[in-house]
């Protein structure tokens, strides 16, 4: 089956620093990637949708200048949390979808802790 | 616009008992519906999906769900619970049936934590 990986699986950083999270589709070409955020004991909330080679579409309330998304190739998307603060601590999950498919394949998630 | 409501944030059953996790949805376009399972500190695994074919959908690990348009429901069931079924379950809707701006975008319910007692 299709595999999506995320790196790193967990990261701890100081307030004010930037953190980059990678999402890779290992055995298929992902024309669309999605980034979700999940706070403890809550559901997944879609942050943004990115299509290869074009700018990401952000959901309402998500700061595009704070959460920079780059979908540089058909197998890689990155999420950069800029000037991270403790309230950005969360579980970030990406998913990938190939053209024409009606399902997404989820990565294992990245736990971000901002001190 | 689409939304999902999962009734019951916690469900507890005995091993061998019926599992029933409830999900109701609303969607302005014909929906695609999904059930995912999440184990602690892991990503989501797809259990099953409905994409406008048969209304009774069978998934992995013995789970199944029935799409009922008149009730706008997509409840998840399993005849006999196993200890390994203990996890959090998410129902999700996507406006995939008619494309448009909601195509591929998943909206998740609040999640239901399933506990299985010996």
């Amino acid at each position: 089956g299709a595999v999506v990986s995320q790196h790193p699986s967990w990261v701890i950083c100081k307030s004010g620093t930037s953190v980059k999270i990678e999402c890779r589709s290992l055995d298929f070409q992902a024309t669309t990637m999605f980034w979700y955020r999940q706070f403890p004991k809550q559901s997944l909330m879609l942050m943004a949708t990115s299509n290869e080679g074009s700018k990401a579409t952000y959901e309402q309330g998500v700061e595009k200048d704070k959460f920079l998304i780059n979908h540089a190739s058909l197998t890689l998307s990155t999420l950069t949390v800029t000037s991270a603060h403790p309230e950005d601590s969360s579980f970030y999950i990406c998913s990938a979808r190939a053209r024409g498919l009606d399902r997404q394949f989820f990565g294992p998630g990245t736990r971000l802790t901002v001190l | 616009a689409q939304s999902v409501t999962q009734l019951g944030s916690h469900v507890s059953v005995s091993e061998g008992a019926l599992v029933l996790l409830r999900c109701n949805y609303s969607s302005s376009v014909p929906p695609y519906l999904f059930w995912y399972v999440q184990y602690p500190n892991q990503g989501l695994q797809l259990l099953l999906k409905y994409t406008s074919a048969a209304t009774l959908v069978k998934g992995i690990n013995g789970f199944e769900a029935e799409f009922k348009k008149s009730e706008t429901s997509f409840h998840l069931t399993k005849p006999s619970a196993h200890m390994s079924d203990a996890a959090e379950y998410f129902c999700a809707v996507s406006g995939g049936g008619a494309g448009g701006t909601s195509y591929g975008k998943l909206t998740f319910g609040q999640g239901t934590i399933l506990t299985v007692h010996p």
Side-chain angles (χ1 to χ4, degrees):
Chain A
V3 178
V4 175
S5 70
Q6 283 185 240
H7 178 79
S9 56
W10 59 269
V11 56
I12 301 173
C13 69
K14 293 182 178 180
S15 183
T17 60
S18 295
V19 175
K20 179 183 285 188
I21 302 170
E22 292 186 350
C23 176
R24 294 182 184 272
S25 57
L26 298 185
D27 50 4
F28 68 102
Q29 293 186 329
T31 50
T32 305
M33 286 187 170
F34 303 86
W35 286 96
Y36 297 85
R37 180 168 52 186
Q38 185 180 29
F39 290 108
K41 302 186 185 302
Q42 295 187 29
S43 186
L44 283 76
M45 297 298 294
L46 179 65
M47 298 175 66
T49 303
S50 73
N51 294 295
E52 188 265 341
S54 62
K55 290 184 178 180
T57 302
Y58 291 80
E59 295 300 300
Q60 191 172 9
V62 178
E63 299 175 59
K64 60 182 66 177
D65 294 330
K66 181 169 185 62
F67 299 100
L68 302 179
I69 293 173
N70 186 349
H71 193 161
S73 74
L74 285 172
T75 60
L76 174 64
S77 176
T78 60
L79 167 67
T80 301
V81 183
T82 62
S83 186
H85 289 100
E87 57 265 30
D88 298 323
S89 298
S90 187
F91 195 48
Y92 291 86
I93 301 174
C94 74
S95 69
R97 182 167 59 88
R99 190 189 312 276
L101 286 187
D102 55 20
R103 62 168 292 188
Q104 300 173 26
F105 298 92
F106 285 81
T110 297
R111 184 161 301 284
L112 170 64
T113 301
V114 184
L115 302 177
Chain B
Q2 49 199 23
S3 66
V4 176
T5 301
Q6 291 181 239
L7 299 176
S9 58
H10 290 80
V11 170
S12 181
V13 300
S14 298
E15 192 173 18
L18 171 71
V19 175
L20 171 61
L21 305 182
R22 299 179 186 274
C23 172
N24 288 89
Y25 71 91
S26 68
S27 178
S28 57
V29 297
Y32 285 1
L33 293 158
F34 305 81
W35 274 100
Y36 289 90
V37 60
Q38 185 181 33
Y39 297 98
N41 295 314
Q42 294 186 28
L44 276 70
Q45 299 175 32
L46 180 67
L47 280 177
L48 49 80
K49 63 178 180 178
Y50 165 78
T51 57
S52 75
T55 56
L56 181 61
V57 181
K58 295 187 182 298
I60 62 172
N61 300 339
F63 285 94
E64 63 181 38
E66 186 172 7
F67 171 69
K68 292 187 177 180
K69 184 178 179 180
S70 61
E71 299 177 8
T72 60
S73 68
F74 190 58
H75 302 329
L76 180 71
T77 61
K78 181 174 180 177
S80 176
H82 294 162
M83 297 296 290
S84 60
D85 295 327
E88 188 161 18
Y89 293 79
F90 291 95
C91 181
V93 63
S94 169
T101 57
S102 60
Y103 179 73
K105 293 173 59 172
L106 287 172
T107 299
F108 285 87
Q110 303 90 324
T112 298
I113 296 174
L114 175 66
T115 303
V116 182
H117 297 290

